[in-house]
Amino acid sequence: MATVATEIQALTAAAFTTPAKFTDFCHNGGQPLGGIVGGESIAGSMNATFQTTDPGSQEVLATICEMGEAEVAQAVSAASRAFHGDAGQGWRDVDVQERIALVNKLVELCERDRDVFLACEILDGGKVSELAEGDFTQIRACAEYFCGVAQKVAMGDGPALQIGDEARGFTYREPWGVVAGIIPWNYPIVLTSWFMFPALLAGNTVLIKPAEDTPLSALYIAQLAIEAGFPPGVINVLPGRGEITGQCIAEHPEVRYISFTGSPGVGQAILRTCDRHGTRMKREMGGNGSAIVLDDADPEVVGRLVGRYTNQHYGQTCCTIHRVFVASNIADDFVEAQRAFFADLKIGYQADEGTQLGAVVNPTQRRRILQAQEEAVARGGQMVLGGGAAEVSGRDGFYIKPALYRTTPEVDCNPAEVFHTFATVCPVNSAEEALALANSSPYGLGASIWTRDVERGVALAKQFRDGTCQVNCHNSIAYGLPYGGQGISGGPGGGVNCEETFLDYTQVKAVYVTDYPG
Ligand code: NAD
């Protein structure tokens, strides 16, 4: 988290050289990379492949086999066998210390191959190294936190309750069985860890469906899981398109629980499918984050900090700031500070030294963002920085310039999540007016208040209709505090990264017992 004492600058790239191990992994001896099912690489019966590319150069990184209905069924069957155990102990019966030991071994192997993961994030995901390195640390942080939770939460029989003279009852907590994590492209390592570690440590076997734009890190993790000694079928990875592979997972009646992270529209569609099969679902979805800047804030400092958070992963971060409501007495200076911050961002290839704004992930995203920039003006936003396509010499990537608009309370020119360095700034006359405008969005993921009066900030922050409310910071995430959404940004469940997340991957039954009659 940046503070006023440090120089406020955007997350920045160091020069990155592709490690040979990553190249070898992608090349896979000249064969497409298969899905990982039952501890083995499988090609897929559809004979369909897709390519994953570097968004900053459009260079093809790897060819991947797409998993269809038959492979999903095969994976569910392998995961189910691993859960129950063929003859003897299944993953559900493995002692928690043994599960923890395997998770720790996997983390060690990930750290051994840190460069490969950084290459996945930087080259496949299009990130600058400063962000990719931070993301990588989440593998250990997440695993350690949930190892701690797993040792604390009592699985199995709960305390007995005497029910009248004749009966007693108790709760019985157990893992669901086969659970699936459907992952978006913007934070592949982080979101795979957030799903996989609590689910596995609770005793479930997992199917991981990485996004089609960033499948490499999950496939690599699955290879390391085999090396770490996870029993076959405990961790399965099913690459493919959402409407093919993802849909087959959602349709499979033996997938007991789905953890979905992605856009609200897709999450709602999967929920309807899950409802048909009685599959439980956890949903962590998009946002259109807001910041309220009170009249005692320094517009220069806060303007730059808000700009830094807006630009995190070029605005392709679910909780980041896209709507700013600023006290009218400092609005002109704030807009100027943010304009200067955005205008100074170094647009470039994400693996080149100094880049702060790289390419967006794919051409569909580029089209959507450019369209949103035009719509912001059509809806009445006053252009401060107009965006538009950007060129990076020698690189054929999806580059776009930052966009900033000034607006008024009557003009909503930023109604839906735009996944880029894109923000609207609206001058307001009171904190109450700002809160009403911030809370008028159907999203509710992340929001912040910026003020020297921290106590007042805390009181106002609690009034956001968002899962994460911050004072003088944004995009902060800590294990032990829930990260989830309200409104269309979330669904039922405890969010991620807290004890309730672990409980989400378990179910509780009530067991009643009386003596045999007679
Ligand atoms: P997306 O909804 O398009 O896709 C997410 C995943 O769902 C992908 O793996 C995709 O293949 C799969 N999918 C798509 N259609 C499917 C279907 N019919 N059935 C099953 N699976 C299907 O999202 P995206 O574009 O990959 O990611 C960006 C979105 O994710 C943004 O809205 C962002 O805000 C959100 N996000 C939210 C969080 C959070 O924690 N709340 C974190 C990161 C990203």
Side-chain angles (χ1 to χ4, degrees), residues 18-35:
T18 308
K21 201 164 185 177
F22 173 77
T23 311
D24 291 348
F25 164 63
C26 290
H27 184 245
N28 194 36
Q31 295 299 311
L33 284 163

Side-chain angles (χ1 to χ4, degrees), residues 83-100:
F83 179 72
H84 294 286
D86 263 342
Q89 216 189 28
W91 183 248
R92 65 177 176 178
D93 311 304
V94 167
D95 183 76
V96 71
Q97 296 305 338
E98 214 175 303
R99 285 188 207 137
I100 288 173

